[in-house]
Amino acid sequence: MEKVALAEAFGLFEETWSPRLAGELNGQAVKLAKADGEFVWHSHADADELFFVHSGRLRIEFREADNVVLEEGELTVVPRGTDHRPVAEPEAEILLFEPTETRNTGDVETDETVTDVERLD
């Protein structure tokens, strides 16, 4: 059992849109990511995805629903199969809760796709 100090954990990496594994429970991963600018449109066919904003602001755009703007301390759940695109302007620090095997770009393969999520040390 280890604790994670979020401020310290976010200070361990600089890359944006490249999640780091902070913990796992019941087949779910808690991932930390820095977000800056627009990410790719994608969906996750078999997984809901929870976004929690630790700092900054994150807008989640949807093709078939109103956008959701998250401020520090707010969260939303994107239902499985929903096309979405996270946008951070300015930079945001976010936590993601999703099944461990969930790829950051979901059903899309891009240069930003992370297949092996690095664990925080």
Side-chain angles (χ1 to χ4, degrees):
M1 292 184 285
E2 298 177 25
K3 71 177 179 178
V4 175
L6 294 178
E8 290 176 23
F10 279 111
L12 295 175
F13 63 98
E14 293 297 322
E15 301 84 7
T16 59
W17 303 116
S18 184
R20 299 299 196 276
L21 185 63
E24 295 179 271
L25 64 155
N26 304 316
Q28 297 284 309
V30 179
K31 300 173 186 175
L32 306 184
K34 291 185 178 182
D36 190 17
E38 298 176 348
F39 197 52
V40 298
W41 281 101
H42 66 284
S43 66
H44 305 278
D46 299 321
D48 299 331
E49 185 175 31
L50 184 146
F51 288 85
F52 175 84
V53 175
H54 174 252
S55 69
R57 168 190 267 176
L58 185 71
R59 181 177 70 249
I60 302 179
E61 298 178 346
F62 299 100
R63 292 192 194 275
E64 298 181 13
D66 291 338
N67 296 340
V68 172
V69 176
L70 300 173
E71 303 287 347
E72 188 173 307
E74 296 181 328
L75 66 86
T76 193
V77 175
V78 176
R80 66 190 71 211
T82 302
D83 280 338
H84 63 286
R85 176 174 71 169
V87 179
E89 295 169 340
E91 184 174 296
E93 294 177 338
I94 60 176
L95 283 80
L96 303 162
F97 295 82
E98 57 196 7
T100 303
E101 68 279 356
T102 302
R103 283 190 342 176
N104 64 329
T105 57
D107 59 353
V108 176
E109 184 79 30
T110 72
D111 291 341
E112 294 173 312
T113 300
V114 176
T115 53
D116 293 317
V117 178
E118 186 178 323
R119 181 177 285 279
L120 289 171
D121 291 328

